Amino acid sequence: MQLHTPLWNFVLAVYAQPEVEALCLSLQNDHGLSINRLLFAGWLASEKKELDLDVLAQTRAIRWQSEITAPLRALRYRVRDDLKLAAAGVYGAMRRAELEAERVELAFLYDASLAWPQQTAKTVKELVTANLMSLLKDTGEAKVNAIKVLEVAFLDTITE
């Protein structure tokens, strides 16, 4: 499995844009959404592919996220909340481990996307919107701002 993929490059470019990190963390913490899945949805659109939640649910990435990435994050948050000076090194190591786990998860998503069919009837912008709507359907009012910010970030990255 290759960790340095076009999806990884896309994620780094989008996540570095203004407002994206804060928005993604808010969606993760307040609504339980996966940042990797949100960013994957935008990358899929750039590849002219529509997000299929049933197919996504069958990927190895979903199991990895629930068994490895999420528990690492939960432990890191516990260490952060109980942080003492002596634990600072532990927190940093856990943060790096979590990032690497997310990178593996993205590699699993990339590998799964290779078999995803291309969607020729829709534009990239339509696919961005459709893919985000699939993931954001249960986020209430947060959905409007999330779609606005992420659509711009995705389309800016895709056209660069």
Side-chain angles (χ1 to χ4, degrees):
M1 171 176 51
Q2 184 179 350
L3 295 178
H4 190 85
T5 65
L7 172 56
W8 176 251
N9 294 336
F10 179 85
V11 164
L12 291 177
V14 169
Y15 206 70
Q17 293 189 35
E19 299 183 62
V20 171
E21 179 179 1
L23 172 69
C24 286
L25 288 171
S26 171
L27 290 168
Q28 175 182 273
N29 296 333
D30 299 341
H31 299 283
L33 290 176
S34 164
I35 293 172
N36 280 345
R37 286 179 222 159
L38 285 168
L39 300 175
F40 177 64
W43 182 79
L44 268 183
S46 77
E47 297 292 304
K48 298 281 289 178
K49 297 178 179 187
E50 190 162 8
L51 182 64
D52 182 327
L53 294 178
D54 293 329
V55 173
L56 179 64
Q58 301 303 314
T59 65
R60 194 167 173 195
I62 302 306
R63 190 173 75 240
W64 179 268
Q65 195 275 336
S66 67
E67 294 175 3
I68 307 296
T69 309
L72 275 172
R73 180 177 305 115
L75 285 170
R76 181 175 64 83
Y77 283 178
R78 282 183 54 199
V79 167
R80 179 193 65 193
D81 293 343
D82 292 335
L83 192 61
K84 307 281 188 263
L85 189 55
V90 172
Y91 179 79
M94 293 179 84
R95 191 171 184 168
R96 289 187 298 280
E98 182 186 348
L99 179 61
E100 286 305 309
E102 288 177 339
R103 193 169 182 180
V104 170
E105 182 184 338
L106 286 165
F108 285 141
L109 287 170
Y110 176 78
D111 287 348
S113 77
L114 298 176
W116 231 283
Q118 278 200 318
Q119 174 63 256
T120 57
K122 295 182 179 178
T123 67
V124 170
K125 184 175 182 345
E126 290 170 330
L127 288 167
V128 165
T129 302
N131 290 355
L132 285 173
M133 290 295 286
S134 293
L135 291 172
L136 295 167
K137 64 183 174 209
D138 297 324
T139 59
E141 291 182 28
K143 176 173 44 178
V144 175
N145 185 51
I147 289 174
K148 181 180 135 190
V149 170
L150 291 174
E151 277 184 345
V152 169
F154 292 159
L155 293 171
D156 283 353
T157 301
I158 292 166
T159 59
E160 288 178 357

